[in-house]
């Protein structure tokens, strides 16, 4: 019997499963992807985020953030983000290239209603995220739906690298309906 990483379908299926697990399971590697954007000066920026939703059919993922955070300035100029997950248990690196849409305030309001209280604390800090402050705790948390943003990231391509006895790498693209092709690792 062949192992999942020996076929492109197997690799893709595992990536989808592991991304789904990231939403459901706080301890799953895909729970905390690294999200990369470019800033207004064209320079790369990365940060850890929480994977809030993954839609297998649409191949989109959701990230929640503060509308006034620095990443929003970069996304306004270049609405693309790359995500990276190293799933050590699966010996699988996942790299996702996405195009990013900021959901409307009506759509975000619906989702805000479902954000649990402790998580709401992350949206609505005064002064805004990234502002210079005199001492480390010179800020207040004021949960505010007006500063809550949902980034819907449409996966355009998925680059999967499996490090087993052999190394295997495949790239899957939306334009070819995720058919995928092998590439040299
Ligand atoms: C474990 C962890 C989870 C995080 N989750 C999020 C998140 O879901 N959304 C978010 O905007 N920032 C999150 N952050 C904070 C970001 O890493 C980052 O510090 C913040 O968003 C400001 O980034 P920016 O200045 O590039 O906008 C998280 C940080 C850590 C360490």
């Amino acid at each position: 019997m062949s192992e999942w990483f020996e076929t492109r379908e197997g690799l893709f299926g595992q990536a989808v499963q592991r991304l789904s697990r990231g939403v459901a399971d706080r301890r799953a590697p895909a729970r905390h992807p690294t999200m990369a954007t470019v800033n207004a000066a064209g320079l790369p920026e990365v940060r850890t985020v929480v994977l809030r939703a993954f839609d297998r059919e649409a191949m989109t993922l959701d990230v929640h953030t503060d509308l006034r955070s620095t990443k929003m300035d970069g996304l306004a100029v270049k609405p693309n983000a790359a995500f990276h997950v190293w799933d050590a248990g699966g010996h699988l690196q996942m790299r996702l290239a996405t195009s990013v849409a900021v959901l409307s305030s009506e759509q975000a309001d619906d989702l805000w209603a479902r954000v649990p209280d402790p998580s709401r604390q992350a949206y609505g800090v005064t002064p805004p995220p990234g502002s210079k402050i005199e001492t480390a705790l010179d800020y207040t948390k004021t949960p505010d739906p007006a500063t809550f943003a949902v980034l819907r990231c449409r996966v355009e391509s998925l680059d999967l690298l499996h490090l087993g006895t052999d190394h295997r790498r495949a790239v899957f693209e939306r334009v070819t309906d995720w058919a995928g092709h092998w590439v040299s690792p």
Side-chain angles (χ1 to χ4, degrees), residues 15-119:
V16 163
Q17 254 184 46
R18 285 163 196 268
L19 289 168
S20 303
R21 208 176 299 154
V23 178
D25 176 357
R26 285 168 183 276
R27 287 165 303 170
R31 177 72 171 184
H32 293 122
T34 302
M35 177 188 190
T37 53
V38 289
N39 67 17
L43 298 172
E45 289 181 342
V46 294
R47 79 282 292 162
T48 310
V49 292
V50 176
L51 184 60
R52 296 289 177 187
F54 174 64
D55 181 331
R56 160 72 189 90
E57 293 311 313
M59 286 295 281
T60 59
L61 49 95
D62 284 5
V63 171
H64 296 175
T65 194
D66 188 311
L67 261 182
R68 303 157 309 159
S69 63
T70 308
K71 67 179 81 53
M72 298 302 289
D73 300 336
L75 284 168
V77 179
K78 185 79 185 146
N80 293 94
F83 290 85
H84 167 266
V85 176
W86 165 236
D87 187 319
H91 307 283
L92 183 66
Q93 172 178 263
M94 299 184 259
R95 293 193 294 172
L96 292 75
T98 74
S99 44
V100 181
V102 184
L103 292 196
S104 70
S105 54
E106 291 81 27
Q107 288 169 301
D109 282 351
D110 282 351
L111 290 165
W112 174 260
R114 285 184 257 146
V115 175
D117 262 349
S119 305

